[in-house]
Amino acid sequence: MQHRGEIIENVVRRSGISISVLAEKIGISRNTLYNRFKEKNLSYDFILTLGKVLHYNFAVHFPEMKSDRTLPDDARTELFQLEQKYENLLEKYNWLLKFLLKKSQDTDQHALRKQIKEFINAP
């Protein structure tokens, strides 16, 4: 069974953020962060700090920590709506990047301009 530091390290590595950047954002050195990964009983305060920087809810791994269940219902609803909006925008952004990559190889720039305008005006 993994201890707290190992769980945190796995999440950090999957996040894609560099160790140096993360350490700088939380105000510690890289070496200190690596040492924290070795701690079996890492403090929940430190875990919460990492979660805020990574935008990750560590309560999934540590249910004894406070989670967003303490949020009022209206805040949870608003958060859910924002998450949906973000996912929608991310899907459109990814589609646009793929589309532009494909179209960058085409010679008909007029068609590209038209499709981009259609995309921008889509709901």
Side-chain angles (χ1 to χ4, degrees):
M1 184 170 163
Q2 290 184 317
H3 61 68
R4 290 181 193 166
E6 291 170 336
I7 292 169
I8 298 306
E9 181 179 13
N10 288 336
V11 171
V12 168
R13 295 202 184 275
R14 286 192 323 254
S15 75
I17 189 170
S18 78
I19 300 294
S20 299
V21 170
L22 180 60
E24 183 179 323
K25 285 187 177 195
I26 59 175
I28 62 175
S29 72
R30 243 182 57 201
N31 287 337
T32 300
L33 185 55
Y34 282 118
N35 288 334
R36 294 281 175 95
F37 292 155
K38 296 175 187 174
E39 292 181 27
K40 292 181 181 180
N41 294 313
L42 199 56
S43 76
Y44 288 133
D45 286 339
F46 182 75
I47 294 170
L48 287 170
T49 300
L50 278 178
K52 288 177 185 175
V53 172
L54 295 172
H55 304 288
Y56 186 84
N57 183 2
F58 281 104
V60 171
H61 304 284
F62 311 108
E64 62 274 18
M65 283 179 28
K66 290 183 180 177
S67 69
D68 67 351
R69 291 183 194 129
T70 60
L71 290 174
D73 286 337
D74 58 337
R76 250 184 275 157
T77 302
E78 184 179 354
L79 181 59
F80 177 74
Q81 290 170 344
L82 287 172
E83 287 174 353
Q84 295 298 342
K85 192 181 249 185
Y86 173 76
E87 288 176 12
N88 187 20
L89 287 172
L90 188 59
E91 287 174 11
K92 285 184 175 184
Y93 176 77
N94 286 332
W95 179 89
L96 181 60
L97 287 177
K98 290 175 187 175
F99 174 79
L100 289 174
L101 181 62
K102 178 183 162 199
K103 287 297 182 177
S104 67
Q105 298 168 359
D106 293 348
T107 56
D108 186 6
Q109 297 302 318
H110 179 69
L112 174 61
R113 185 177 302 119
K114 180 182 174 187
Q115 289 181 325
I116 290 174
K117 283 183 181 180
E118 288 173 3
F119 173 76
I120 290 172
N121 294 326

